[in-house]
């Protein structure tokens, strides 16, 4: 078994009277794709925001590469090697695609040399190619389609050479053909040795892709295990009852 | 090489102009310098600040007070003047940039107001409402720089400012500034320290404005409170928006145009040129948010097809 890169223990988040995440515990192992599913409002994005430092946790522990990252600011967490995409595209609108990707590499810049800039730039171009935006490096981000914007989010996060990447519903709003391509990209990322924590709504997309799955409902973990186990888990089917996933 | 050519052309022009036109010319160059710095702060880093012109004043007053009231030697006076700008900039930026952008606008507005009040109430140190006048730039190495030669100093300042800003803009720091402007939350998620980036940009551009102010102090050889009022802080904002914010060329065009416009308009409409500015500003915001430089890009685009 691979060593774990991220460990979450007893993590809770309350917004006023609402407990969005409650006593959550899970781990992400080196090089794996850990899926996280759950119905609307289950607390998936909140969990991400706690890991990324956007929200302070009410209680609990988050350990990344054997060091606690609880209480660190988002930029400090990013600098340690956790990069994320957003559920809703957040491009830097005043910049072309390539510069958006280069911002993702911000944490890697050590000096202010032309040589370094050139290296990063060619790496960024490779990544743009890798996610399937080839030929659009110089394009204005305003001209991208929604789906291309999703891919840009991924390229930008990859540019920082993360050890752990957090994807918040990357498949949301994509056409079926784009979904296959996305699954391929995510597998490719894991194959590079980057651990992936993948939030998804849609079990059809997630289950074939994830190595292990954590299921949330009302902020709490109701199941975790291999995709096949999750498929057969009655508690999971209950939580999804009436939704499309129940038919699988 | 190109920088040297620009220096020779821009300063050479001063020798072809008469006294009056040379005076107009170098004030225009100073406005361009200020607009370039303000464009970095407002257009590239997205910070709405109203203190940029006050820092111009802080620089001017600092160097004059240090030289002629405290009798500090010139090189030291320049260094201390820059230090004063940096300290004041940090004191404003550190608390303000940790809050939302709106508070930076308020804090800098307060600073700009406070500065003018301090100048008026400063007694002998600032010369009160009359300011300080009738001093001369100390001779350096036995040389007294004056007339068109001093315009050369201003051209040097302008090009130095432009060079620093272009370098920064093309570096990861400039990219971080743009990222912070476009989406602070996403910028932080990519490892950018948003507060620090803002403080650094604010302090740097404020210090550049201060240096420009020091050079200005010896253009008219007088500094007084009305020069550094809020009106000019807004003019600077207009220049950047009308020219095209976020672009160095836009700042240059906006500054040249709005500085020269009153000279052409005054014979026609008297003091109502402020009204024309207002209309231009509205037109820019409503019709062409990318400013005149954006308009120029569009035209070029159309003709190149
Ligand atoms: N900033 C906030 N303030 C108050 N309540 C919040 C905040 N963010 C999330 N919540 C609440 O916390 C709960 C969990 O929300 P979260 O966004 O984590 O769900 P999710 O699993 O990502 O859902 P979705 O699939 O719709 O994205 C919801 O009830 C939501 O309304
Ligand atoms: Mg969500």
């Amino acid at each position: 078994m691979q060593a774990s890169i991220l460990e979450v223990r007893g993590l809770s988040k309350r917004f006023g009277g609402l407990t969005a995440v409650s006593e959550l515990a899970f781990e992400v192992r080196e090089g794996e794709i850990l899926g996280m599913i759950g119905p609307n409002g289950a607390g998936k994005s909140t969990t991400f925001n706690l890991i990324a430092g956007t929200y302070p946790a009410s209680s609990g522990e988050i350990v990344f590469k054997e060091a606690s990252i609880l209480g660190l600011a988002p930029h400090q967490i990013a600098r340690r090697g956790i990069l994320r995409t957003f559920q809703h595209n957040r491009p830097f609108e005043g910049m072309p695609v390539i510069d958006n990707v280069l911002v993702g590499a911000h944490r890697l810049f050590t000096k202010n040399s032309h040589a370094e800039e050139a290296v990063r730039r060619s790496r960024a171009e490779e990544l743009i190619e890798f996610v399937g935006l080839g030929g659009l490096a110089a394009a204005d981000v305003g001209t991208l389609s929604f789906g291309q914007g999703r891919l840009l989010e991924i390229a930008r996060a990859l540019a920082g050479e993360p050890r752990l990447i957090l994807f918040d519903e990357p498949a949301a709003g994509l056409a079926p053909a784009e979904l296959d391509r996305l699954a391929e990209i995510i597998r490719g990322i894991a194959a590079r040795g980057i651990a992936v924590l993948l939030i998804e709504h849609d079990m059809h997309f997630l289950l074939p892709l994830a190595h292990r799955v954590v299921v949330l409902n009302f902020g709490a973990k109701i199941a975790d295990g291999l995709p096949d186990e999750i498929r057969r888990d009655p508690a999971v089917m209950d939580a999804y009852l009436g939704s499309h996933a129940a038919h699988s | 090489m190109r920088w040297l050519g620009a220096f020779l052309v821009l300063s050479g022009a001063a020798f072809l102009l008469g006294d009056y036109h040379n005076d107009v010319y170098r004030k225009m160059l100073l406005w361009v310098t200020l607009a370039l710095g303000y464009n970095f702060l407002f257009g590239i880093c997205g910070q709405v600040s109203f203190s940029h012109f006050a820092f111009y004043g802080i620089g001017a007053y600092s160097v004059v007070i240090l030289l002629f009231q405290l009798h500090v030697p010139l090189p030291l006076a320049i260094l201390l003047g820059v230090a004063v700008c940096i300290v004041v900039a940090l004191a404003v930026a550190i608390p303000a940039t940790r809050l939302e952008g709106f508070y930076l606008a308020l804090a800098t507005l307060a600073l700009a107001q406070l500065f003018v009040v301090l100048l008026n109430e400063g007694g002998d140190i600032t010369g009160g409402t009359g300011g300080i006048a009738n001093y001369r730039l100390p001779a350096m190495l036995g040389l007294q720089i004056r007339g068109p030669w001093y315009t050369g100093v201003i051209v040097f300042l302008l090009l130095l400012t432009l060079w620093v800003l272009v370098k920064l803009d093309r570096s990861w720091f400039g990219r971080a500034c743009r990222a912070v402007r476009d989406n602070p939350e996403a910028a932080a998620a990519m490892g950018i320290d948003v507060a620090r980036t803002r403080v650094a940009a604010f302090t740097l551009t404020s210090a550049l404005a201060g240096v420009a102010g020091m050079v200005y102090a010896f253009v008219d050889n007088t500094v007084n409170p009305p020069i550094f009022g809020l009106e000019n802080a807004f003019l600077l904002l207009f220049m950047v928006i009308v020219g095209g914010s976020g672009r160095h060329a836009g700042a240059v065009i906006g500054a040249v145009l709005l500085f020269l416009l009153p000279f052409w308009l005054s014979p026609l409409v008297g003091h109502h040129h402020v009204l024309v500015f207002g209309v231009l500003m509205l037109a820019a915001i409503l019709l062409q948010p990318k400013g005149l430089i954006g308009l120029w890009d569009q035209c070029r685009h159309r003709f190149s097809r």
Side-chain angles (χ1 to χ4, degrees):
Chain A
M1 194 177 92
Q2 289 284 343
S4 74
I5 186 162
L6 182 83
E7 276 179 70
V8 172
R9 288 189 290 257
L11 189 67
S12 298
K13 176 65 185 178
R14 283 177 289 277
F15 291 112
L18 177 96
T19 303
V21 173
S22 127
E23 291 294 317
L24 184 61
F26 66 90
E27 60 169 13
V28 184
R29 298 174 194 152
E30 304 260 12
E32 83 169 339
I33 302 173
L34 179 70
M36 182 175 275
I37 50 171
N40 275 322
K44 305 180 296 290
S45 294
T46 303
T47 303
F48 260 38
N49 286 325
L50 293 174
I51 297 171
T54 315
Y55 298 149
S58 302
S59 61
E61 190 53 58
I62 305 173
V63 176
F64 177 63
K65 291 198 290 187
E66 264 131 49
S68 172
I69 55 166
L70 204 70
L72 294 185
H75 70 268
Q76 292 169 319
I77 292 172
R79 284 178 193 182
R80 289 187 180 209
I82 301 181
L83 291 176
R84 64 174 298 180
T85 67
F86 289 91
Q87 182 168 356
H88 303 286
N89 291 350
R90 286 172 181 249
F92 302 117
E93 265 142 27
M95 293 183 237
V97 167
I98 179 100
D99 282 40
N100 269 264
V101 176
L102 279 166
V103 173
H106 181 84
R107 77 180 193 102
L108 304 175
F109 280 87
T110 49
K111 47 190 186 297
N112 218 345
S113 69
H114 282 297
E116 184 174 37
E117 177 83 16
V119 170
R120 294 283 152 229
R121 200 163 271 274
S122 75
R123 285 281 298 128
E125 268 156 14
E126 280 165 39
L127 284 171
I128 291 169
E129 200 79 37
F130 172 72
V131 299
L133 293 177
L136 291 172
D140 193 3
V141 285
T143 64
L144 298 188
S145 70
F146 174 80
Q148 289 171 328
R150 296 308 279 153
L151 296 173
L152 174 60
E153 286 269 322
I154 297 174
R156 185 174 70 180
L158 279 177
E161 296 180 3
R163 292 292 307 282
L164 170 66
I165 191 163
L166 311 177
F167 285 130
D168 197 347
E169 302 203 17
L174 293 189
E178 293 174 310
L179 285 182
D180 293 340
R181 173 92 194 99
L182 178 66
E184 213 176 289
I185 290 168
I186 293 173
R187 281 198 190 93
I189 292 169
R192 292 173 171 215
I194 299 169
V196 176
L197 177 52
L198 173 61
I199 290 188
E200 213 16 273
H201 221 86
D202 178 357
M203 286 212 211
H204 293 297
F205 177 75
L206 185 86
L207 292 181
L209 191 57
H211 300 136
R212 291 187 308 126
V213 179
V214 171
V215 188
L216 296 189
N217 198 17
F218 296 113
K221 184 164 89 174
I222 57 169
D224 79 19
L226 301 174
D228 276 339
E229 296 166 354
I230 297 300
R231 235 184 282 264
R232 292 192 301 266
D233 193 309
V236 176
M237 288 307 122
D238 259 4
Y240 269 83
L241 206 66
S243 78
H244 52 277
H247 306 294
S248 63
Chain B
M1 232 16 242
R2 267 165 54 198
W3 293 98
L4 184 68
F7 176 76
L8 291 177
V9 169
L10 286 174
S11 35
F15 291 88
L16 306 176
L17 298 169
D19 274 354
Y20 171 74
H21 285 109
N22 185 29
D23 190 53
V24 172
Y25 177 59
R26 58 204 201 174
K27 281 178 183 153
M28 183 186 83
L29 296 178
L30 281 168
W31 274 105
V32 170
T33 309
L34 278 176
L36 282 168
Y38 191 65
N39 173 54
F40 195 90
L41 183 62
F42 170 75
I44 293 177
C45 204
Q47 300 185 59
V48 184
S49 148
F50 294 105
S51 60
H52 202 74
F53 207 81
F55 278 99
Y56 186 61
I58 292 173
Y61 264 92
S62 298
V63 81
V64 171
I65 291 171
L66 284 163
L67 280 172
F68 305 109
Q69 314 274 50
L70 305 174
H71 306 289
V72 174
L74 183 62
L76 191 61
I78 293 172
L79 286 181
L80 286 175
V82 174
V84 169
C85 290
I86 290 175
V87 169
V88 177
L90 288 173
V92 176
I94 290 176
T97 49
R98 287 183 190 277
L99 303 165
E100 283 301 305
F102 176 62
Y103 291 94
L104 182 73
L106 279 188
T108 53
L109 207 55
L111 173 70
Q113 289 283 42
L114 183 68
F115 176 61
V116 176
V117 171
L118 282 179
L119 292 184
N120 280 315
E121 304 297 322
D124 284 346
I125 301 176
T126 65
T129 49
I132 307 171
N134 295 323
Y135 51 80
R136 282 268 164 276
L137 179 65
M140 273 174 298
L141 309 168
L143 278 174
Q144 178 79 53
I145 304 174
R146 62 164 67 121
W149 294 99
Y150 195 68
T151 306
V153 174
I154 297 174
V155 170
F156 181 74
L157 167 84
L158 189 163
L159 292 177
L160 187 70
T161 303
L162 181 62
W163 183 79
V164 167
L165 295 175
V166 167
K167 273 265 174 239
L168 277 179
D169 187 27
R170 290 187 186 155
S171 72
W172 55 266
F173 177 74
R175 209 155 40 225
C177 286
R178 287 174 190 270
V180 165
R181 172 197 68 190
D182 287 348
N183 198 321
E185 202 175 323
M190 299 302 132
I192 294 170
D193 187 337
V194 173
R196 231 164 113 179
T197 304
R198 285 187 176 143
V199 170
F202 185 83
T203 307
L204 176 99
T205 54
S206 297
L208 285 175
V211 174
M214 293 182 198
V215 172
Y216 168 72
F218 301 99
V219 167
D220 285 337
N221 289 317
T222 170
V223 286
N224 53 62
I227 307 174
F228 302 112
L230 261 181
E231 203 177 302
N232 282 331
F234 284 100
L235 182 54
L236 210 44
L237 182 68
F238 287 7
M239 285 173 170
V240 169
I241 290 178
V242 169
S245 71
R247 303 271 300 268
H248 302 298
V252 174
I253 293 173
V256 170
L257 186 77
L258 292 201
F259 177 77
L260 293 181
L261 212 53
F263 290 95
W264 295 323
L265 284 178
S266 289
L268 302 176
V269 296
H271 278 301
H272 298 300
H273 64 255
V274 181
L275 207 69
V276 178
F277 281 15
V279 172
L280 259 180
M281 173 78 177
L282 268 180
I285 291 173
L286 295 176
L287 305 174
Q288 182 47 268
K290 287 182 174 166
L292 290 171
I293 192 79
L295 210 61
W296 164 249
D297 282 349
Q298 276 178 6
C299 293
R300 239 181 19 179
H301 212 81
R302 206 155 292 164
F303 284 114
S304 66
R305 280 187 189 176

